[in-house]
Amino acid sequence: MDDRSGEARGMAVTGEVPRRRSALLMALVQWNRATIPWPVALRNALAVALPVILGVLSGQTDVGLAVAGGALNVVTSDAPGPHALRLRRMLLISLGTGLAALAGFSLGTQWLPFLPVLAVSAFLLAMLVALGPVAMQGGTAILIVLVVTAGTAGHGFDPWAAAGLFFAGGLLATLFSVVAWPLRIYQPERDALASVYRMLSEIARAMPEDTEFMPLADSLGEAQQLLARSGAARIRGVEAFRILLGLAERIRLELLALSDLRGQVDDPALPAVMRQAAVVLRGLGMALRHGRAMEGGAALKGFETALAALRDARHATHDPLLRSRLHLVEARSIGLAGALRAAIRNSAEAGARGDRRAAERDALQPAALRPGAPLATLRANLSLSSAAFRHALRLTVCVVAAEALGRAIGLPQFYWIAMTVVIVLKPDFGGTVSFGLLRMFGTLAGLLVATAVIYLVADHPLAQALLIAPLYFGFRYLVPVHYGLAVSLLTAVVVLLLGLAGQPAGHTLLDRGGATVLGSLLALAAYLLWPTWERGREKPVIAAMLDAYAAYLMALLGTDAKAQAEARTAARAARVNAQASVERLRVEPADPGQPARAEAIFANANRVLRAGMALESALHDHGPEVLARHAAAESLGHAIATALGELASALRDHRPPAIPSDLPARHRALAELLDPAAQPEADQPVIMALLEATDRMVDAVSALADVIGAGAGAPSPEIRPTVA
């Protein structure tokens, strides 16, 4: 047994609690980079404050407060992404808040009818965590509206009129979001990656002996930090940034290997390959900086010409040793070519523009084959084995218990207990603990500050309304920086709103503080009764995802449509479980490199799934029997699936993977064998989709082998083709 693994286990046993405590302490005191641009925070603050200000000025304060309530719960979904996606998302949440207000004001005064509605709503809205953080935030906002409106029902509000005003507030927030010119919110990430690829271009051009101590290391570190901080944004464009960073590492290794071989191969073909690689890498850097797509065929034409010259030189030499070395150079160059092609593809999908292009491509596929199909994803997670399903059950029980507790003890603002549970209870233990503690301290501080402020401007409603804008601006801007400080500002906003509605701040200070503490403790107790630590659990979950992807690929090689659909459903569920695991791991105390490795594995594995779905779409349109006529394609597919299974086993066993060494060469041989131009016209779309999909899969398998091998504490596995 390896001594290092034993030492690691010993450290885990003896140091787990101190590390966990220090990590939780860091989560409470650490300050992060501000990831919400100030114009976004400003337009969100105006959407909340303007209705209140106009309501006070016109003598319709209640109307302004209802509109502001709708806007308050919709602006949190003003997240990065294309305008069309943001518009659709915010409109859906606006409609949801309107319906929640209607249900809350209609049923809030009746215990028996309301609690079943609350339970069903909490479960369905909590299940949205399976669709990602943005969807989860939208579900949380709708559930908060339901809880708050039910708690304030019976105060003279007409349910239909109030619901319409809440919906109007959501529409106002949506209007403020989409009329603004698209902000280049990912420019720092683009600039960092562009710097990395420009430095790679210089390395390829200069062919240095060692790249470890070049400025590239600083550029890579900056890009890694930026992408780690944007981890909450799960749109596909951000995932492409992570893939590009991983590809940069692979390209650096390939360039270093080729530079090492220059002293063994005295042939002009090798410098020509490096020069053409430098041209492609420089073009990639420019494309990333300016956010434009790069034409892959034209960019790689010169590189392919240099590669062909290298192949000709190998065939022309009669020296067996030189031929063997040229074969090694050619293999490395083929690997470099694959990485360059993958980088070009992902550069076109990076950022909001890439997310829009991906959505347009997905829209052309059948609904069940779209990677983001929400209904298929939710159906795949209706099982106790799903992290999303377990979170939904936990939240439902806690929210219903909080609502019943608040009503039973007769707290004047009992809804604060359930509202706190909805906000605090997260799908992971670390997030719940940190959010719970920060929520308690931030709320108590905000109550004290807001109460003091209201006493100073108690007789000036307009002054109270004007204070809402800067306070909410500070909340939106500081949420990613420090949640506790942000919550104190949000609490001040809520106190001001309730004060304008006629609820004195001083009289309810203790009630609100006590309700916040009760709600936070209830959420924390739920995890004490059902704890889930992710550290050490993420590897089997991600390995299960790789196994599911391998099973899906094997199903694609057959002709059974039902088996393909079942395998795709299983792959979706495994993907959601893995994504939830990675998200939970990020906020837990762990080795700093552990979440980054898990992110890299997750991002590269998803390239396999997306490639498989694209291939399935082509088979669906042009006939699944095409693959059956090409034994070489089926053989390569089986080899890729086997490699995925080996990667999963290596991840579970914490060892370097032993994947086939000839996958790139086999793919290139398949491409030469199945020249699309030489195939029947009816088969050409499937053949082209097959070659592109397997190219992506082979490259992803290589990247996964590197990451998993490095995580196992061994050097990155070197993939060497067999020398003929």
Side-chain angles (χ1 to χ4, degrees):
M1 183 174 293
D2 186 76
D3 291 337
R4 289 176 299 177
S5 61
E7 181 183 356
R9 285 194 301 273
M11 293 175 63
V13 172
T14 58
E16 182 176 359
V17 173
R19 283 205 309 271
R20 184 179 303 173
R21 290 174 179 171
S22 63
L24 290 175
L25 178 62
M26 286 300 298
L28 297 177
V29 301
Q30 72 178 5
W31 289 71
N32 303 312
R33 184 174 70 97
T35 57
I36 296 179
W38 69 264
V40 175
L42 178 61
R43 73 190 184 210
N44 294 162
L46 292 176
V48 173
L50 279 180
V52 183
I53 295 172
L54 294 177
V56 171
L57 291 175
S58 63
Q60 300 290 328
T61 302
D62 288 345
V63 173
L65 290 173
V67 175
L72 185 71
N73 288 282
V74 173
V75 291
T76 54
S77 62
D78 188 2
H83 272 346
L85 175 64
R86 189 185 309 157
L87 175 64
R88 184 166 60 250
R89 178 173 63 225
M90 297 184 74
L91 285 177
L92 285 174
I93 297 175
S94 300
L95 179 61
T97 55
L99 293 175
L102 177 62
F105 283 126
S106 300
L107 302 174
T109 57
Q110 307 172 52
W111 269 61
L112 292 181
F114 177 66
L115 287 182
V117 171
L118 176 62
V120 172
S121 301
F123 178 80
L124 295 177
L125 293 170
M127 278 295 297
L128 295 179
V129 71
L131 304 181
V134 176
M136 183 182 71
Q137 288 176 358
T140 300
I142 296 172
L143 189 55
I144 288 174
V145 171
L146 178 62
V147 169
V148 172
T149 54
T152 54
H155 291 76
F157 294 107
D158 177 71
W160 287 96
L165 292 174
F166 267 81
F167 179 62
L171 293 181
L172 178 64
T174 303
L175 179 65
F176 272 70
S177 174
V178 299
V179 297
W181 187 256
L183 297 169
R184 304 182 74 186
I185 56 177
Y186 294 122
Q187 197 58 38
E189 288 85 351
R190 286 191 177 279
D191 288 343
L193 283 171
S195 176
V196 168
Y197 277 87
R198 188 172 61 250
M199 188 63 64
L200 288 171
S201 174
E202 295 300 321
I203 291 173
R205 192 179 303 277
M207 295 182 67
E209 294 182 0
D210 192 351
T211 64
E212 290 293 338
F213 301 101
M214 294 190 67
L216 175 64
D218 296 333
S219 299
L220 281 171
E222 179 185 357
Q224 287 169 344
Q225 291 178 0
L226 285 173
L227 293 177
R229 290 166 181 165
S230 61
R234 303 301 301 181
I235 66 170
R236 197 177 307 177
V238 178
E239 192 171 297
F241 282 136
R242 295 193 181 97
I243 292 173
L244 283 167
L245 183 61
L247 288 169
E249 290 275 17
R250 287 193 57 219
I251 291 170
R252 181 183 69 85
L253 293 174
E254 296 290 358
L255 292 176
L256 181 58
L258 287 171
S259 296
D260 290 340
L261 291 169
R262 64 179 177 173
Q264 305 175 27
V265 178
D266 185 14
D267 192 283
L270 175 55
V273 167
M274 298 290 277
R275 284 195 301 270
Q276 292 301 322
V279 172
V280 176
L281 289 166
R282 184 171 182 81
L284 272 168
M286 296 291 290
L288 284 169
R289 183 174 297 279
H290 298 293
R292 62 169 185 260
M294 186 177 179
E295 181 57 45
L300 286 171
K301 185 176 180 180
F303 187 89
E304 292 290 347
T305 301
L307 188 56
L310 180 63
R311 190 178 303 110
D312 293 340
R314 177 171 65 85
H315 289 306
T317 184
H318 299 290
D319 184 347
L321 179 59
L322 180 58
R323 185 186 301 115
S324 175
R325 289 174 176 172
L326 284 172
H327 194 287
L328 183 57
V329 171
E330 182 183 352
R332 284 293 190 185
S333 300
I334 291 173
L336 178 60
L340 291 174
R341 283 195 298 271
I344 291 172
R345 282 195 299 264
N346 283 279
S347 69
E349 297 183 358
R353 291 183 182 179
D355 196 60
R356 183 176 63 251
R357 285 191 288 268
E360 291 171 352
R361 289 197 305 272
D362 291 344
L364 300 176
Q365 299 183 3
L369 297 181
R370 297 174 191 169
L375 292 179
T377 301
L378 291 174
R379 281 198 301 269
N381 283 274
L382 291 176
S383 167
L384 272 175
S385 62
S386 165
F389 188 84
R390 294 195 299 272
H391 168 66
L393 284 179
R394 186 185 288 118
L395 181 65
T396 300
V397 173
C398 286
V399 168
V400 172
E403 183 75 10
L405 175 64
R407 291 175 182 263
I409 63 178
L411 200 65
Q413 284 149 13
F414 60 87
Y415 57 88
W416 275 63
I417 303 177
M419 182 182 69
T420 301
V421 169
V422 173
I423 295 172
V424 169
L425 194 58
K426 302 298 178 185
D428 58 286
F429 183 89
T432 300
V433 171
S434 59
F435 270 75
L437 295 176
L438 290 170
R439 181 80 188 176
M440 282 193 290
F441 295 133
T443 298
L444 294 175
L447 287 171
L448 292 173
V449 172
T451 302
V453 170
I454 286 181
Y455 272 118
L456 295 176
V457 293
D459 298 327
H460 304 281
L462 182 59
Q464 296 181 43
L466 291 172
L467 283 173
I468 291 173
L471 289 171
Y472 195 79
F473 172 85
F475 161 72
R476 280 292 283 157
Y477 189 76
L478 292 174
V479 160
V481 178
H482 192 276
Y483 182 72
L485 179 58
V487 163
S488 67
L489 298 178
L490 177 62
T491 302
V493 170
V494 174
V495 171
L496 287 170
L497 292 173
L498 293 175
L500 289 169
Q503 298 185 19
H507 294 171
T508 58
L509 173 63
L510 293 178
D511 290 339
R512 292 169 186 162
T516 299
V517 172
L518 280 176
S520 299
L521 292 178
L522 185 59
L524 294 173
Y527 259 107
L528 291 176
L529 294 175
W530 193 0
T532 304
W533 286 107
E534 202 60 30
R535 185 176 59 250
R537 296 165 56 96
E538 84 283 356
K539 289 184 178 180
V541 174
I542 297 176
M545 180 185 69
L546 293 175
D547 281 333
Y549 288 2
Y552 175 52
L553 179 56
M554 291 295 291
L556 288 183
L557 299 176
T559 57
D560 188 341
K562 182 180 179 180
Q564 292 174 357
E566 291 175 351
R568 188 189 335 113
T569 299
R572 286 185 190 278
R575 179 187 181 278
V576 171
N577 281 336
Q579 179 175 339
S581 178
V582 172
E583 295 292 347
R584 290 191 295 270
L585 183 65
R586 182 183 290 114
V587 296
E588 286 187 2
D591 172 15
Q594 196 171 356
R597 286 193 295 271
E599 285 276 3
I601 296 172
F602 180 79
N604 281 289
N606 280 332
R607 296 162 64 192
V608 176
L609 180 62
R610 288 200 295 271
M613 287 183 173
L615 176 58
E616 185 180 356
S617 180
L619 294 172
H620 180 273
D621 293 336
H622 302 282
E625 68 280 354
V626 177
L627 286 184
R629 295 199 293 267
H630 301 286
E634 187 174 358
S635 175
L636 179 59
H638 280 286
I640 295 173
T642 302
L644 288 171
E646 164 60 19
L647 290 168
S649 298
L651 191 60
R652 288 190 183 94
D653 300 338
H654 194 67
R655 60 174 174 78
I659 65 172
S661 62
D662 59 347
L663 287 180
R666 290 180 65 175
H667 177 268
R668 192 170 188 86
L670 180 66
E672 294 174 354
L673 177 64
L674 299 182
D675 182 5
Q679 303 299 320
E681 186 175 352
D683 292 355
Q684 288 181 6
V686 175
I687 296 301
M688 288 189 290
L690 168 69
L691 293 177
E692 182 177 3
T694 51
D695 183 25
R696 293 188 180 199
M697 291 177 184
V698 167
D699 187 78
V701 165
S702 299
L704 286 167
D706 289 341
V707 178
I708 294 173
S716 297
E718 186 174 3
I719 303 173
R720 296 180 181 272
T722 304
V723 178

